[in-house]
C-alpha cells in the first residue's frame, strides 16, 4: 500500500470573526495549505471536509474552483477532523487519488453547546432537568480521577496556565493572555472541580492539510510529514462516557481513547516512548491530565509529578499542546483536529518559531475526544 | 401555606408515580430478557446483545456516590426548563449495587459536603414551576446520613 504524506498545512486563526462565513474561513485555510504545498486547487483530485454547523461544507468548491472533484462532507462529533484526515490519507493509501485535501471549518455561537437531547438519542427529561451538559461529564470524570490517582487542583491550574502561555506565543490562537496558576485557581467554579479558566470555549476557525503519495512528495517538498497511523474508536459498553444517563456496573471498560491509541501505536509500529510532541484533547484542564495516561504517555497518577516538573511544557521531556491546545485556541469542532496536525507539522519541520520545541523531533501525536464517546488518534513522523 | 400545589412528574414511566405507602418511590428501568443487562431509562433494545425482549424492573432506591460535580451556571434553555432564578445544584453518578450507575441531580449543592463512596437515597425534587403553578418533579439522590440526624 502507498503511504500518505502531508505536504501542506493551512490555518485560519481561531476566535470570533463577526460577518465572516465559515466557508470563507475554510477557503482561506485551503489557500494557505495549497500555497504551503506549492500546488493549485485544480491539481487536487478529491478530499474530505468536516463541519458541525455548516450543513453543506462541500459548497466550499464554489469559492475555490468548480473542478468536479469528489469532496465528501464528514461529521463525527469531536472526532470530525480526525475522520477527515483519516479518510483523505486512506484515499492516497488505496491509490484512489495522488493528491487529496482534508478541510475543517466551523462557526459556533457563544456559550456552552446547547441542543435537544434527542439529537443524541437521549430523552427530553434529561435536558429539561439540567443534566444534558457535556461539562458535567468532564467535571465528574476528573473529580473521580483526582480521587483515585492523587491529582491536585494546583495541577489542573498548571495545565491551564501552560496552555494559555503557549497560546500567547501563537499569533493564530484565541486566548493569548498568559495566566498564572493562581489566577486560574481564582476564577469561579463552573463544574466542580473545574473553573472558568480551566475550560475551552466553542468558537470559529478553519484548517486544511494537503496530502500526496509518499513517492511523489519530492516534487513538492523536502520535508514531507508521514501519516503513520490514523485510528477512530467509539465507546464500548461499560466505558464512562459523556451524555450517559446510566452505565453498567462491573469492570470499568477502557475509554475509546485507549482503544484508538493502542490501535494507532500498533499500526504505526511506534510506541508512546517514541513520541516527541503531542496534541491532546484539552476540552478542560482535567481532560489533558487524563488523556496523557489514556494515550499511553504516562501512567495514571504520574501526571502530578510530570506537570510540576514542567515535563509537558515547551522544552520539557514531552511537550503537550504547544500551540495552546483547545484551552488557548477554542473549539470549532470541524477544524479542531486539523489545527492539531498543523501544529505538529510545524514542529516536525522545525518551523514553529517561538513555540519550537528543542532538538530534532521525529514523532508527533494528535488526539481528539468528545461526544458521543468517540476518539480519533493520528501518529505522524518525519 | 394552605394551598396544595399540584405536582407532575417530568416524564411518564421514569419513576413510580404518585409514590405512596403502597407504591414506594423507585426508578423504572428494564432488564434484558436474554442477557439480563439492566438499563435506565427503560430501553426497548439491549445495548449488549441487541435483544428487543425486555421486562420492566424497579431499581434499588439506595446506592453510593461514584462521582459528582456541580452546576454553577444556568444551563442553556432550551433544553433546560428550570426557573429563571437559578440556584446552583449538584449532579452525580450513584452506583446501585448489582444494577447500574445512574446520573442524577443531588440534593446537596455544596461539593465540600459530598464525597465519593457516600451512601445515597432516592428522592424527588420539584425542579421547576410552570406558569399555572404546577410543580414539575424529577428524581434526585440525597445523602443517606441526613435521615439519622
Ligand atoms: Zn441483552
Amino acid at each position: 500500500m502507498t503511504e500518505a504524506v502531508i505536504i501542506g498545512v493551512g490555518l485560519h486563526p481561531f476566535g470570533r470573526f463577526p460577518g465572516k462565513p465559515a466557508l470563507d474561513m475554510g477557503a482561506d485555510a485551503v489557500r494557505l495549505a495549497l500555497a504551503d504545498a506549492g500546488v493549485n486547487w485544480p491539481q487536487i483530485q478529491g478530499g474530505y471536509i468536516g463541519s458541525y454547523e455548516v450543513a453543506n461544507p462541500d459548497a466550499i468548491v464554489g469559492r475555490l474552483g468548480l473542478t468536479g472533484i469528489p469532496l465528501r462532507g464528514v461529521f463525527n462529533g469531536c472526532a470530525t477532523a480526525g475522520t477527515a484526515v483519516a479518510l483523505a490519507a486512506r484515499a492516497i493509501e488505496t491509490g484512489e487519488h495522488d493528491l487529496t485535501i482534508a478541510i475543517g471549518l466551523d462557526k459556533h455561537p457563544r456559550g456552552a453547546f446547547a441542543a435537544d437531547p434527542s439529537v443524541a438519542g437521549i430523552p427530553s427529561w434529561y435536558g429539561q432537568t439540567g443534566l444534558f451538559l457535556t461539562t458535567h461529564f468532564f467535571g465528574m470524570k476528573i473529580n473521580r480521577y483526582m480521587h483515585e490517582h492523587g491529582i491536585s487542583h494546583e495541577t489542573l491550574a498548571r495545565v491551564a496556565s501552560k496552555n494559555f502561555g503557549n497560546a500567547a506565543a501563537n499569533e493564530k490562537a484565541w486566548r493569548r493572555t498568559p495566566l498564572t496558576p493562581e489566577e486560574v485557581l481564582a476564577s469561579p467554579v463552573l463544574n466542580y472541580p473545574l473553573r472558568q479558566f480551566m475550560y475551552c470555549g466553542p468558537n470559529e476557525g478553519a484548517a486544511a492539510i494537503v496530502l500526496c503519495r509518499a513517492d511523489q512528495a519530492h516534487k513538492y517538498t523536502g520535508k514531507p510529514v508521514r501519516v503513520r497511523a490514523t485510528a477512530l474508536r467509539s465507546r464500548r459498553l461499560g466505558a464512562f462516557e459523556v451524555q450517559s444517563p446510566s452505565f453498567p456496573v462491573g469492570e470499568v471498560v477502557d475509554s475509546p481513547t485507549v482503544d484508538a491509541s493502542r490501535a494507532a501505536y500498533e499500526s504505526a509500529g511506534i510506541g508512546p516512548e517514541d513520541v516527541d510532541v503531542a496534541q491532546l484533547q484539552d476540552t478542560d484542564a482535567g481532560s489533558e491530565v487524563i488523556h496523557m495516561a489514556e494515550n499511553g504517555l504516562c501512567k495514571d497518577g504520574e501526571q502530578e509529578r510530570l506537570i510540576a516538573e514542567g515535563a509537558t511544557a515547551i522544552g520539557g521531556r514531552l511537550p503537550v499542546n504547544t500551540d495552546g491546545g483547545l484551552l488557548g485556541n477554542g473549539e470549532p469542532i470541524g477544524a479542531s483536529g486539523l489545527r492539531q496536525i498543523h501544529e505538529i507539522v510545524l514542529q516536525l519541520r522545525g518551523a514553529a518559531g517561538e513555540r519550537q520545541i528543542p532538538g530534532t523531533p521525529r514523532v508527533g501525536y494528535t488526539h481528539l475526544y468528545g461526544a458521543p464517546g468517540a476518539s480519533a488518534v493520528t501518529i505522524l513522523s518525519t | 401555606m394552605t394551598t396544595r400545589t399540584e405536582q407532575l412528574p417530568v416524564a411518564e414511566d421514569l419513576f413510580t408515580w404518585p409514590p405512596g405507602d403502597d407504591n414506594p418511590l423507585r426508578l423504572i428501568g428494564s432488564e434484558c430478557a436474554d442477557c439480563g443487562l439492566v438499563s435506565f431509562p427503560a430501553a426497548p433494545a439491549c445495548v449488549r446483545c441487541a435483544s428487543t425482549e425486555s421486562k420492566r424492573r424497579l431499581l434499588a432506591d439506595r446506592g453510593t456516590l461514584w462521582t459528582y460535580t456541580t452546576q454553577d451556571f444556568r444551563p442553556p434553555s432550551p433544553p433546560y426548563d428550570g426557573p429563571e432564578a437559578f440556584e446552583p445544584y449538584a449532579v452525580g453518578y450513584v452506583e446501585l449495587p448489582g444494577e447500574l450507575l445512574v446520573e442524577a441531580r443531588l440534593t446537596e449543592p455544596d461539593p465540600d459536603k459530598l464525597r465519593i463512596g457516600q451512601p445515597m437515597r432516592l428522592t424527588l425534587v420539584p425542579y421547576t414551576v410552570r406558569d399555572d403553578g404546577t410543580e414539575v418533579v424529577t428524581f434526585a439522590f440525597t445523602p443517606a446520613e441526613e435521615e439519622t440526624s
Side-chain angles (χ1 to χ4, degrees):
Chain A
M1 213 164 56
T2 312
E3 191 176 80
V5 298
I6 298 170
I7 55 170
V9 292
L11 182 68
H12 183 283
F14 281 20
R16 295 257 169 240
F17 306 94
K20 186 165 190 178
L23 285 176
D24 286 346
M25 293 189 248
D28 285 359
V30 169
R31 290 186 191 104
L32 288 170
L34 293 171
D36 186 42
V39 303
N40 297 317
W41 176 252
Q43 293 173 265
I44 299 292
Q45 296 167 355
Y48 291 84
I49 181 162
S51 186
Y52 176 75
E53 307 279 356
V54 179
N56 267 113
D58 52 312
I60 199 168
V61 294
R63 283 160 164 78
L64 293 168
L66 300 172
T67 56
I69 60 163
L71 183 64
R72 297 93 162 182
V74 294
F75 180 66
N76 222 174
C78 295
T80 292
T83 303
V85 171
L87 292 171
R90 199 66 38 88
I92 301 276
E93 291 161 0
T94 58
E96 185 187 8
H97 300 310
D98 295 338
L99 206 51
T100 65
I101 195 159
I103 312 165
L105 47 92
D106 249 316
K107 190 177 179 76
H108 305 297
R110 287 167 194 280
F113 286 109
D116 190 289
S118 66
V119 300
I122 294 169
S124 304
W125 60 262
Y126 189 71
Q128 289 173 259
T129 60
L131 298 181
F132 189 60
L133 283 96
T134 55
T135 61
H136 285 168
F137 167 76
F138 296 110
M140 289 192 280
K141 188 167 182 182
I142 190 60
N143 196 25
R144 184 162 177 93
Y145 195 86
M146 289 164 79
H147 172 80
E148 287 188 323
H149 300 293
I151 304 296
S152 65
H153 294 255
E154 287 70 23
T155 288
L156 302 184
R158 284 190 188 105
V159 168
S161 177
K162 166 185 71 74
N163 290 359
F164 290 123
N166 290 351
N170 176 2
E171 70 284 355
K172 292 190 174 179
W174 185 32
R175 304 290 194 205
R176 301 194 54 206
T177 307
L179 289 172
T180 65
E182 294 70 28
E183 287 169 324
V184 174
L185 283 172
S187 66
V189 172
L190 297 185
N191 303 103
Y192 180 89
L194 298 174
R195 296 169 181 275
Q196 183 183 346
F197 293 148
M198 295 176 181
Y199 273 116
C200 85
N203 65 349
E204 309 175 12
I209 65 171
V210 177
L211 303 96
C212 81
R213 297 168 56 100
D215 58 5
Q216 296 179 5
H218 63 275
K219 293 198 280 185
Y220 308 104
T221 177
K223 288 186 173 178
V225 169
R226 302 167 65 190
V227 180
R228 303 295 295 271
T230 61
L232 172 75
R233 289 292 185 275
S234 62
R235 66 200 190 282
R236 287 188 284 138
L237 181 66
F240 177 40
E241 297 299 326
V242 65
Q243 297 170 345
S244 299
S246 73
F247 66 101
V249 287
E251 198 178 332
V252 173
V253 170
D254 285 332
S255 84
T257 290
V258 175
D259 294 344
S261 177
R262 284 187 184 143
Y265 285 128
E266 188 179 327
S267 159
I270 285 174
E273 66 283 357
D274 302 317
V275 173
D276 295 311
V277 54
Q279 295 265 78
L280 306 179
Q281 177 90 11
D282 56 326
T283 308
D284 61 279
S287 289
E288 180 170 317
V289 171
I290 293 170
H291 291 150
M292 287 169 63
E294 287 191 347
N295 287 288
L297 300 171
C298 71
K299 292 192 172 65
D300 286 317
E302 280 185 346
Q303 298 97 327
E304 186 72 11
R305 177 178 56 79
L306 290 173
I307 290 164
E309 289 173 357
T312 58
I314 293 170
R317 183 164 61 75
L318 179 67
V320 173
N321 292 330
T322 47
D323 66 347
L326 283 97
L327 287 171
N329 288 280
E331 186 182 27
I333 290 179
S336 195
L338 285 158
R339 187 261 310 156
Q340 293 181 327
I341 289 178
H342 177 273
E343 176 69 5
I344 292 293
V345 167
L346 294 191
Q347 293 286 351
L348 296 186
R349 286 177 179 171
E354 250 190 283
R355 308 190 303 281
Q356 182 63 45
I357 67 169
T360 311
R362 300 185 55 84
V363 175
Y365 186 100
T366 72
H367 159 254
L368 297 168
Y369 170 82
S375 187
V377 167
T378 309
I379 299 179
L380 306 171
S381 81
T382 54
Chain B
M1 296 290 282
T2 52
T3 52
R4 186 180 166 279
T5 311
E6 197 189 347
Q7 289 191 324
L8 281 177
V10 65
E12 296 294 320
D13 297 322
L14 193 57
F15 41 83
T16 48
W17 185 265
D21 291 343
D22 55 346
N23 189 32
L25 175 65
R26 305 284 282 274
L27 296 177
I28 301 171
S30 60
E31 183 179 321
C32 174
D34 290 338
C35 80
L37 183 73
V38 180
S39 301
F40 176 81
C46 176
V47 291
R48 182 156 69 195
C49 74
S51 167
T52 52
E53 300 294 319
S54 66
K55 57 190 180 192
R56 188 174 187 264
R57 173 173 172 145
L58 298 181
L59 304 180
D61 62 357
R62 281 165 189 276
T64 53
L65 190 57
W66 189 75
T67 189
Y68 58 92
T69 189
T70 56
Q71 181 57 36
D72 290 279
F73 61 95
R74 192 172 185 278
S77 294
Y80 180 63
D81 67 0
E84 282 301 325
F86 180 69
E87 291 285 338
Y89 54 91
V91 177
Y93 277 89
V94 174
E95 180 167 355
L96 306 179
E99 293 185 318
L100 45 68
L101 292 100
V102 58
E103 186 179 6
R105 279 185 174 229
L106 307 177
T107 60
E108 174 53 68
D110 182 353
D112 294 333
K113 294 179 180 167
L114 294 166
R115 65 179 167 80
I116 288 168
Q118 193 170 9
M120 306 296 282
R121 177 175 58 82
L122 182 65
T123 188
L124 294 178
V125 290
Y127 82 93
T128 196
V129 181
R130 296 207 178 130
D131 291 342
D132 63 3
T134 307
E135 281 187 343
V136 185
V137 301
T138 191
F139 64 97
F141 281 85
T142 193
E145 289 99 336
E146 284 178 3
E147 282 188 317
T148 55
S149 63

